[in-house]
């Protein structure tokens, strides 16, 4: 349940204002837009990475703006795409003459609004490429990967694209690497309970006690099937098993791994699950690189978790490991 | 509600095992103890800072172990003090010959068990000092500060003590500065809903819809009074007002500020509240230094939040600003 708000219609504006006040050292507001940008942007001659989507997913998306990651995030109302006008204004504010990559989860509203902004920017001579994140294995079969939703895997695609842009790669290369990161990223999730929008008293969906939903969405969409609530070892087997089914053919046996809490599933629970997940992954002969266990792409106070693999190779690993500094994370990989 | 566990009696052990597996680069398990230590500990000639308490408060306590912060954390079952034996074993593993500071929130169980361990260590020639955290303004009147509980203010006391020990201060000085940090730290909190222990289906307490509890505890204790659920601006006024009532006489007008989520109160809500909190604090003529808005001392999936001020002066500010690296946070203060 969401308890803290003033006027629910002003929730997003209050949130952006508070966020920028809390992180003045790293970000500022894009003038006249529901968007935040790195305090270093625009950087002349650098490809700009713009991410975004509805709010309610912190640290996605505004928490991921900063050096080595995104140049800006366009922020919609809760679980609602930002408008094309907002995306356009943000693009004008942060592009540095070397082109722009838009990256966001594959949802129809975002595809439409970012698409309209892309057309408008192209007509003004700004080269924009769009890379959709499609990591959610539960939302469509493997032969229809392009129809899948984007969920927690967003973070890895943004990280790779942001590192590529930060080191000075040209637009074609940033786009290629972002697409490759998405091709190597898979996520599967489960939900134990729905979230409640500000000003509402009923959750967007309910899960019966003792049950869980497989294949959650991050906008209050229920799962694609329900089952008994599983003890941690069996839950780990379900999640790891699903991801192992889709190992990319060129994977070299090392995965960056994210065990993500959706909101009210807490760190302690995630660590319990990680014990069993990491044992299974290692038993399958994979090396785990820089595991992330915590909240990375949330859904308000939803109960649930997701497991993501980024299947690494040498070029993805270099970009994954590059440092980044944003309000939500200081990314440092020990070698 | 806690959904992920295997055998509820093994929750703590599963959690510690998963935590250490996720953060092998920074921490390791203390042999034969429910405790984790920095991978650099013991450091010969350095005062060791040992923190701890029940689990269920992540990132407190094990997430705060690392360079510049705690040398080790002793971990009890959920909301339950670790035993004297565990504290003793941990102390033997991490002390480096320059003495030890124990710091933890003021709860009778922790006071007893850490106290017994202190006596045993002293009898073996290890100089141990104990600094209780007593930041919770709702739990006793100002003239009985030593009876107050420790809640989110833990973090600031640990941070100051850890930085003092890290720079090589002798035991008397680390103790003095930790006590001073506690004297300058105040927290006030509210709860909107209780948390549920692993394996249980009922929360430890309930808050009626549309109500809130003032003066929460972090172990499922309900507040000291109830009121209507307040809109964000009024909630900010309540929290800031309570803290301003207790400004220390030697405060120089700058506060480090932490707006802490208890578990299922999410970042977006905290940013909404921070907008109003920061406006009020600035209007009161105070400067906010390095605000923290997020989850720092939690209570499983409890709904609620707390506001903490660390009233700074030059010596506290230097220690507050010193860098630290732990599993839960990389502490970098821009100047």
């Amino acid at each position: 349940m969401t308890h803290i708000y003033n006027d629910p219609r002003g929730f997003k504006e209050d949130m952006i204002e508070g966020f920028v006040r809390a992180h003045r050292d790293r970000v500022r507001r894009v003038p006249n837009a529901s968007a935040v940008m790195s305090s270093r942007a625009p950087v002349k001659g650098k490809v700009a990475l713009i991410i975004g989507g509805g709010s309610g997913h912190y640290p996605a998306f505004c928490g991921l703006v900063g050096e080595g990651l995104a140049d800006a995030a366009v922020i919609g109302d809760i679980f609602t795409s930002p408008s094309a006008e907002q995306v356009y204004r943000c693009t004008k504010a942060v592009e540095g003459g070397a082109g722009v990559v838009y990256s966001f989860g594959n949802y129809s509203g975002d595809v439409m609004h970012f698409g309209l902004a892309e057309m408008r920017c192209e007509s003004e001579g700004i080269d924009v490429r769009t890379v959709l994140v499609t990591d959610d294995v539960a939302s469509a079969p493997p032969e229809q990967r392009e129809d899948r939703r984007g969920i927690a895997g967003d973070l890895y695609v943004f990280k790779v694209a942001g590192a590529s842009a930060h080191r000075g790669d040209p637009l074609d290369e940033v786009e290629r690497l972002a697409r490759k990161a998405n091709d190597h990223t898979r996520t599967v999730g489960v939900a134990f309970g729905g979230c409640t929008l500000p000003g509402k008293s009923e959750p967007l969906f309910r899960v019966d006690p003792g049950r869980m939903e497989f294949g959650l969405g991050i906008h209050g969409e229920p799962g694609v099937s329900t089952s008994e609530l599983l003890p941690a070892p069996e839950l780990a087997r379900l999640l790891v098993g699903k991801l192992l089914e889709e190992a990319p053919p060129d994977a070299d046996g090392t995965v960056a791994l994210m065990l993500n809490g959706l909101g009210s599933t807490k760190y302690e629970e995630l660590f319990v699950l990680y014990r069993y997940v990491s044992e299974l992954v290692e038993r399958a002969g994979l090396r785990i690189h820089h595991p992330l266990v915590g909240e990375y792409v949330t859904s308000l106070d939803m109960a649930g978790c997701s497991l993501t693999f980024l299947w690494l190779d040498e070029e993805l690993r270099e970009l994954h490991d590059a440092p980044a500094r944003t309000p939500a994370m200081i990314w440092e990989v020990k070698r």
Side-chain angles (χ1 to χ4, degrees), chain A:
Chain A
M1 173 120 188
T2 298
H3 297 90
I4 303 177
Y5 50 89
N6 190 20
D7 180 347
R9 290 164 303 182
F11 189 87
K12 178 182 75 174
E13 282 305 309
D14 280 347
M15 193 268 289
I16 296 175
E17 181 66 22
F19 171 73
V20 171
R21 280 174 160 261
H23 295 288
R24 277 180 179 143
D25 51 341
R26 299 199 194 279
V27 297
R28 59 199 166 95
R29 191 156 180 156
V30 176
N32 303 312
S34 292
V36 297
M37 61 198 280
S38 167
S39 46
R40 294 167 178 245
V43 180
K44 216 174 149 59
K46 177 189 164 306
V47 172
L49 173 64
I50 299 178
I51 63 176
S55 47
H57 306 300
Y58 195 86
F61 298 97
C62 56
L64 306 178
V65 171
E67 200 182 342
L69 237 154
D71 293 275
V74 199
I75 302 165
D77 285 320
I78 289 191
F79 300 165
T80 306
S81 172
S83 71
E85 178 69 26
Q86 303 295 326
V87 179
Y88 168 78
R89 289 183 196 174
C90 181
T91 309
K92 296 289 280 187
V94 302
E95 66 96 15
V100 177
V101 169
Y102 290 164
S103 191
F104 49 90
N106 181 30
Y107 297 94
S108 54
D110 295 300
V111 169
M112 183 177 78
H113 291 290
F114 276 88
L116 289 169
E118 178 176 342
M119 285 197 291
R120 186 165 166 198
C121 290
E122 293 276 358
S123 76
E124 296 184 16
I126 302 168
D127 197 348
V128 177
R129 313 290 171 85
T130 293
V131 179
L132 299 178
V133 183
T134 58
D135 59 313
D136 178 10
V137 303
S139 57
E143 59 277 15
Q144 293 166 32
R145 276 211 71 216
E146 70 282 3
D147 294 336
R148 287 178 170 175
R149 299 181 292 211
I151 51 176
D154 283 351
L155 176 63
Y156 284 134
V157 178
F158 302 161
K159 177 66 183 66
V160 166
S164 169
H166 184 69
R167 74 179 175 192
D169 289 348
L171 184 60
D172 284 346
E173 184 70 352
V174 179
E175 182 190 5
R176 178 184 75 79
L177 288 161
R179 287 193 196 288
K180 179 174 173 181
N182 183 55
D183 286 344
H184 283 235
T185 301
R186 300 286 189 287
T187 301
V188 59
V190 290
F192 313 118
C195 54
T196 308
L197 299 178
K200 304 286 182 189
S201 57
E202 289 298 313
L204 290 172
F205 68 96
R206 283 186 190 280
V207 181
D208 290 333
R211 308 282 294 172
M212 65 177 207
E213 304 243 354
F214 175 76
L216 64 95
I218 56 169
H219 303 94
E221 308 97 326
V224 297
S225 65
T226 71
S227 73
E228 252 185 292
L229 183 60
L230 297 175
E234 278 99 285
L235 179 56
R237 205 166 305 136
L238 174 73
L239 298 175
V240 172
K242 277 285 160 193
L243 293 185
L244 291 178
E245 284 172 13
E246 291 200 27
D250 54 344
D252 80 352
T254 302
V255 291
L257 181 159
M258 182 194 335
L259 184 55
N260 175 59
L262 268 294
S264 66
T265 295
K266 299 319 301 172
Y267 310 91
E268 287 83 358
E269 296 175 85
L270 297 175
F271 289 129
V272 167
L273 185 57
Y274 183 68
R275 172 189 185 150
Y276 298 103
V277 163
S278 57
E279 284 173 3
L280 288 169
V281 173
E282 286 165 5
R283 210 175 300 153
L286 295 175
R287 288 177 300 279
I288 298 174
H289 180 64
H290 193 62
L292 300 175
V293 180
E295 296 182 334
Y296 296 96
V297 177
T298 62
S299 185
L300 291 174
D301 62 329
M302 180 162 158
C305 66
S306 64
L307 180 66
T308 303
F309 286 176
L310 166 62
W311 298 83
L312 293 172
D313 64 9
E314 206 178 308
E315 99 181 326
L316 288 176
R317 183 172 173 144
E318 185 179 333
L319 293 161
H320 170 281
D321 287 3
R325 280 181 162 56
T326 76
M329 57 181 71
I330 295 178
W331 188 287
E332 276 186 359
V333 178
K334 274 200 185 175
R335 285 169 178 267

